[in-house]
Amino acid sequence: MVERRLYGSCASPGLASGPAFLWKPQLAWRTTVDSAAMEATRLSNAVAVALRELRALNASSTAEASAIVDCQIALLEDPELFAQAHTAIADGTPADRAWNDALTVEVAGYESASDEHFRARATDLQDLQYRVLGHLQGTIPVAPIPPGSVVFAVDLPPSVFLSCDWNQGGGLVLAKGSAASHLGTLARARGVPMLTNVSAALEVPQSAEALVDATAGQVVLRPDPETRTAFKTRWQCERADRAYSDIAMQTASSTLDGVHIQLLLNVNEISDLDHPWAGSCHGIGLVRSEFLFGGNEWPDEERQFAAYRRIMEWASPRPVTIRTLDVGGDKPMPGFTKVTERNPALGLRGVRLSLARPESLRVQLRALLRAAVVHPLRIMLPMVSVPEELAQVRAILEMERGELKRAGIPAGPTELGIMVEVPAAALTVEHFDADFYSIGSNDLAQYTMATSRDGDTRSMSFDPFPRAVQVLVTRVVRECNVLGRPVSLCGDLAADPKWLPWLLQTGVRALSVPATALPIVKRAVREARITQCPDP
Amino acid sequence: MTRRPLLGNSTTRTNAISSAVLTNAVGLHARPSVQLTRTAKSFVSTVEVALDPAGPWVDAKSPVKIMRFRAPKGVILHFRALGEDADKAVAALAALVGRRFEGEMIDGSHG
């Protein structure tokens, strides 16, 4: 018996182990057909039973699962779903085949959609298809899944997932499936590891021992002893980390000597808000607005406004900082940034580019001003090097505020601040009249050390926080504290527990990190004692 | 029980039209479709929806029909209603679309 490895895509991360269980719907077609009236009644009765089952399932489900089952109920109550089936029944087709054919056509319509989300709706309809079919044929289409199994299937209907007991572990390995499906949503919410696009999923022997590493996108069947041991070690580490992280999310982020540190979130795109740990942040420290500008069309004011407002509503009443468009240099944007620059990293980018293209800046500022109606909003400027740049943007901002007022469009209070990432700004930060400051340690290190973060220099020993940068960070925090203005640090350094004690003793009290880093940083904060932190 | 659009002149019935841009992340799929039909069903008027003012118009009270639209984010949904509460119906539907169907966390979000 040889170990076998199958590969696929991760739809829900995590580890699982257990006996393989192949799930395949069994269908037993009826061989006789009754009168059209009887067949029609048969279908109506089967649907009624299915609806009762779904409503019962709803009663014991989480809110998320309920929403999915609600959709199925709404579809099943829609006469349109049976229109084709009833026509076939009137023509003498038995109810089970009539129903199956009608639904197969409907499902096929979704499977061929170009959008992944619409394709994923096919499984919701298949779920209904099998459920009603089971009642029409008088059999349960499939055997119930034993708890703790690693289920192998082409795809799994959401309602089947919901009626399984996942408390004893288990996982999902699908030949098809999609992370965007309702099943994917449910699996992630429930913490059940799930792989999709594992083409050989149904060639697995029933009951074979299976180890799933969904995060790594693979499943091992009949593992060798070494594989099994390595898996067990990873499993134990993951359990411990997860337990710690979950607890950490509920605790306060204060040091051992009671100093509260503000833990803020970095947001690269809207879906970052969905991360299970995102909600525990004290606010959003950085929204990289570039995600809106990546498409074929320049997002107009309405589109930007909708996105910013959405973020504000998610975060409210917590503070939100949105950074204006930061492109150019290593972030080219066709049609907007300059194509031929000898030194793009030092050329027209960030706030300089925005000031050179004031019309687009105005649109973004208007959208931000309007979103500030939800809650006061912090607008942050990237790549600022001289105070004049800040002053110019402030003037444009206030002009747009006036325009909005004249047009009767509501705008809210805003603060205007800067990223401190250009060495010039770090060296003269006290001359910038900003409402707040955020140290962009990645770019600051890059420019200070004249070293690129990517490219050839990666092969050399790369010190992420050299002394020169330490000096600048210390200086910026000190000057901001003297000014009495808020200062935070975003950038990879904020998420590095090794450097946290050092950062805290500089006086920084706000850090902005990705959601995945929130637990580690919080843990480091809770284990730090500021009075005992190393001197700069 | 299917409802078909009723053409004809009745003094107690009004015609009403509205439209709204679909701005929620993944467009008009399962959950928003069901919310839309629930709202439509709360009115006695016949309510229809189309992606283009010229049609084709489909019954907005049928989730199966609405889902078939597969309308992605950015399209304009047009509503028309005929009946006593037609004005309220089209206004309510446009408002629902305008506030992105509220509480769509299930469906994932992408930019």
Side-chain angles (χ1 to χ4, degrees), chain A residues 170-500:
Chain A
L172 291 167
V173 178
L174 306 178
K176 289 195 190 158
S178 151
S181 62
H182 277 155
L183 181 65
T185 307
L186 292 173
R188 285 187 296 276
R190 192 61 184 77
V192 174
M194 174 171 148
L195 284 171
T196 57
N197 301 313
V198 180
S199 45
L202 287 178
E203 294 163 26
V204 165
Q206 188 80 285
S207 308
E209 184 186 359
L211 302 181
V212 179
D213 183 348
T215 320
Q218 50 177 284
V219 51
V220 180
L221 293 143
R222 299 198 170 119
D224 295 334
E226 302 87 50
T227 311
R228 203 181 282 127
T229 313
F231 184 89
K232 197 164 176 181
T233 313
R234 279 202 55 204
W235 172 279
Q236 281 159 348
C237 287
E238 207 201 67
R239 283 282 108 124
D241 270 346
R242 196 184 284 235
Y244 196 104
S245 296
D246 287 341
I247 294 169
M249 283 294 94
Q250 290 150 36
T251 54
S253 63
S254 304
T255 62
L256 284 169
D257 35 11
V259 176
H260 177 74
I261 308 298
Q262 212 189 20
L263 292 182
L264 305 163
L265 189 67
N266 287 350
V267 174
N268 294 338
E269 49 184 327
I270 299 265
S271 59
D272 287 348
L273 302 177
D274 293 335
H275 192 282
W277 297 333
S280 68
C281 69
H282 302 133
I284 298 179
L286 167 64
V287 176
R288 296 185 169 104
S289 63
E290 292 78 63
F291 73 89
L292 280 167
F293 297 83
N296 292 329
E297 286 173 24
W298 192 265
D300 62 8
E301 186 181 313
E302 289 312 312
R303 189 142 145 230
Q304 291 192 47
F305 169 50
Y308 303 144
R309 185 181 63 186
R310 171 115 175 240
I311 296 171
M312 299 296 292
E313 284 168 351
W314 178 91
S316 186
R318 296 166 293 186
V320 174
T321 303
I322 300 181
R323 189 181 69 185
T324 56
L325 183 60
D326 184 14
V327 289
D330 60 346
K331 295 180 261 194
M333 182 174 287
F336 189 67
T337 59
K338 278 180 79 166
V339 170
T340 50
E341 276 189 306
R342 273 227 306 221
N343 218 331
L346 305 180
L348 201 59
R349 53 173 300 189
V351 70
R352 286 175 208 158
L353 181 56
S354 296
L355 287 169
R357 305 251 193 280
E359 278 323 302
S360 11
L361 177 62
R362 283 175 194 281
V363 170
Q364 184 165 37
L365 292 176
R366 285 170 69 95
L368 290 166
L369 281 163
R370 289 171 62 191
V373 165
V374 176
H375 188 269
L377 191 159
R378 284 185 166 177
I379 302 173
M380 185 158 69
L381 305 178
M383 289 293 294
V384 175
S385 51
V386 289
E388 286 71 29
E389 289 164 349
L390 172 60
Q392 280 175 42
V393 176
R394 201 184 280 284
I396 298 175
L397 180 69
E398 292 314 313
M399 202 179 314
E400 288 307 319
R401 193 191 301 277
E403 290 288 336
L404 287 170
K405 189 163 179 199
R406 268 187 286 283
I409 300 173
T414 59
E415 286 188 334
L416 187 63
I418 61 170
M419 289 278 296
V420 182
E421 50 190 343
V422 176
L427 290 164
T428 57
V429 69
E430 61 273 30
H431 295 279
F432 289 76
D433 183 20
D435 298 322
F436 62 91
Y437 305 78
S438 188
I439 302 172
S441 53
N442 298 356
D443 273 327
L444 184 63
Q446 180 169 251
Y447 292 119
T448 304
M449 305 306 294
T451 310
S452 169
R453 291 184 272 159
D454 34 46
D456 302 334
T457 50
R458 230 173 235 257
S459 57
M460 296 157 32
S461 59
F462 182 68
D463 182 353
F465 200 33
R467 183 176 296 122
V469 186
Q470 294 177 30
V471 168
L472 286 178
V473 169
T474 308
R475 162 170 226 291
V476 171
V477 177
R478 185 182 65 232
E479 292 302 323
C480 291
N481 284 335
V482 165
L483 286 171
R485 308 258 172 101
V487 60
S488 62
L489 194 136
C490 55
D492 300 341
L493 193 64
D496 191 342
K498 205 171 66 202
W499 285 103
L500 184 88

Side-chain angles (χ1 to χ4, degrees), chain B residues 98-109:
Chain B
R99 52 169 204 273
R100 283 168 287 110
F101 302 93
E102 297 193 31
E104 52 165 16
M105 287 178 324
I106 270 291
D107 299 319
S109 2

Side-chain angles (χ1 to χ4, degrees), chain A residues 64 67-68 70-71 74-75 78-81 106 109-110 113 117-118 121 182 185 270-271 274 291 309-310 313, chain B residues 1-2 25-26 28-31 34 38 62-65 67-68 70-72 98 100 104 106-111:
Chain A
E64 244 166 358
I68 290 172
D70 273 343
C71 285
L75 291 170
D78 188 347
E80 180 64 21
L81 204 58
E106 195 77 34
Y110 288 96
H117 283 94
F118 288 116
R121 299 288 76 80
H182 277 155
T185 307
I270 299 265
S271 59
D274 293 335
F291 73 89
R309 185 181 63 186
R310 171 115 175 240
E313 284 168 351
Chain B
M1 183 175 53
T2 36
V26 287
L28 191 65
H29 67 112
R31 195 148 172 267
V34 170
R38 271 208 196 116
S62 163
V64 172
K65 287 188 175 155
M67 260 177 65
R68 283 185 192 145
R70 295 198 267 285
R100 283 168 287 110
E104 52 165 16
I106 270 291
D107 299 319
S109 2
H110 301 279

